[in-house]
């Protein structure tokens, strides 16, 4: 999905979420992220994710697109889970619900709220340099999503998927992610930010 499509839904969408004030939506996202960060209760996390799915299902939003994009963090999460020895099913589900809840909440926000309204509201409560970082991250996220979609399409065109092809795709995507992060860092430096001054 192109970022222009998401901007279109955010600006011209007719769902009740589009009509909800941006302050309430930011508070809701903050609440979800708070639960994700500080809770390890599988029932609580599962309930939060089920609630987010309910919001998607009972709205006029593009359900398939939102759910599809929200599943992308599972690619990186899968690599992380495979690195854990003696991983229990309960702990794996905790990580899965955390990743899906955070991703779904943020995607619902950007699908139903113009980015101009989001970052205008954030400027009232956050320092300018942090808002700029979030804005560049927001744009970079969709570049990476588009890159991943192209890679998955390429794998389909090559026929039957194999571990070798999957490994090549994951490797390329990781390199692209690093490159995007470096580009974002360079953009911040061009805007006059100094990491040493910021840290101080």
């Amino acid at each position: 999905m192109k970022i222009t499509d998401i901007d279109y839904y955010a600006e011209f969408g007719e769902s009740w979420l589009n009509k909800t004030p941006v302050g309430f939506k930011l508070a809701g996202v903050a609440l979800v992220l708070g639960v994700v960060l500080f809770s390890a209760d599988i029932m609580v996390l599962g309930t939060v994710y089920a609630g987010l799915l309910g919001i998607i299902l009972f709205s006029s939003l593009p359900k398939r697109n939102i759910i599809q994009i929200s599943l992308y963090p599972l690619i990186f999460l899968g690599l992380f889970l495979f690195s854990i020895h003696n991983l229990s099913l309960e702990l794996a589900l905790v990580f899965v619900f955390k990743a899906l809840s955070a991703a779904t909440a943020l995607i619902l926000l950007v699908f139903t709220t113009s980015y101009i309204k989001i970052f205008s509201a954030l400027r009232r409560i956050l320092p300018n340099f942090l808002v700029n970082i979030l804005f560049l991250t927001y744009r970079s996220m969709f570049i990476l999503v588009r890159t991943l979609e192209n890679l998955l399409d390429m794998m389909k065109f090559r026929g039957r998927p194999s571990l070798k092809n999957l490994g090549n795709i994951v490797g390329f995507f990781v390199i692209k992610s690093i490159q995007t992060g470096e580009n974002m860092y360079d953009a911040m430096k061009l805007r006059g930010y100094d990491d040493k001054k910021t840290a101080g």
Side-chain angles (χ1 to χ4, degrees):
M1 168 166 283
K2 297 179 181 179
I3 193 169
T4 51
D5 296 332
I6 295 175
D7 288 341
Y8 176 82
Y9 285 118
E11 190 67 36
F12 301 107
E14 295 294 333
S15 73
W16 60 270
L17 272 176
N18 287 83
K19 301 173 184 178
T20 303
V22 62
F24 289 119
K25 286 185 278 192
L26 286 173
V29 171
L31 179 61
V32 171
L33 294 180
V35 173
V36 167
L37 288 173
F38 299 110
S39 176
D41 189 317
I42 190 172
M43 294 300 296
V44 172
L45 294 168
T47 301
V48 169
Y49 182 57
L52 291 170
L53 288 180
I55 291 174
I56 296 172
L57 294 176
F58 292 100
S59 69
S60 58
L61 297 170
K63 302 171 179 57
R64 179 180 176 183
N65 290 332
I66 292 178
I67 294 176
Q68 183 179 12
I69 295 174
S70 70
L71 296 178
Y72 286 151
L74 294 182
I75 296 175
F76 295 103
L77 180 63
L79 297 175
F80 170 71
L81 293 178
F82 279 123
S83 67
I84 300 178
H85 296 290
N86 299 323
L87 178 67
S88 66
L89 177 60
E90 182 176 352
L91 182 59
L93 288 176
V94 166
F95 282 119
V96 168
F97 284 140
K98 280 176 177 283
L100 291 178
S101 296
T104 304
L106 291 171
I107 290 167
L108 276 173
L109 176 65
V110 299
F111 256 95
T112 60
T113 314
S114 167
Y115 72 92
I116 296 175
K117 294 180 181 179
I118 294 174
F119 291 102
S120 294
L122 289 176
R123 285 189 186 279
R124 300 172 190 166
I125 57 177
L126 297 175
N128 282 336
F129 81 91
L130 187 56
V131 174
N132 287 333
I133 290 174
L134 291 173
F135 175 73
L136 291 173
T137 302
Y138 166 79
R139 288 297 177 180
S140 299
M141 179 178 66
F142 293 105
I143 294 174
L144 292 175
V145 167
R146 190 60 182 169
T147 300
L148 182 59
E149 289 177 345
N150 291 336
L151 290 172
L152 293 175
D153 288 340
M154 183 177 65
M155 188 173 71
K156 291 178 182 178
F157 292 146
R158 287 188 173 184
R160 188 174 180 178
S162 65
L163 289 177
K164 181 180 179 181
N165 289 338
L166 183 60
N168 290 335
I169 286 177
V170 171
F172 180 84
F173 188 66
V174 170
I175 293 173
K176 184 66 176 179
S177 301
I178 294 173
Q179 183 183 20
T180 302
E182 291 175 347
N183 292 340
M184 186 173 69
Y185 175 75
D186 291 338
M188 293 303 297
K189 289 183 68 175
L190 288 174
R191 286 171 174 259
Y193 293 106
D194 188 325
D195 53 352
K196 295 180 180 178
K197 292 180 181 179
T198 302

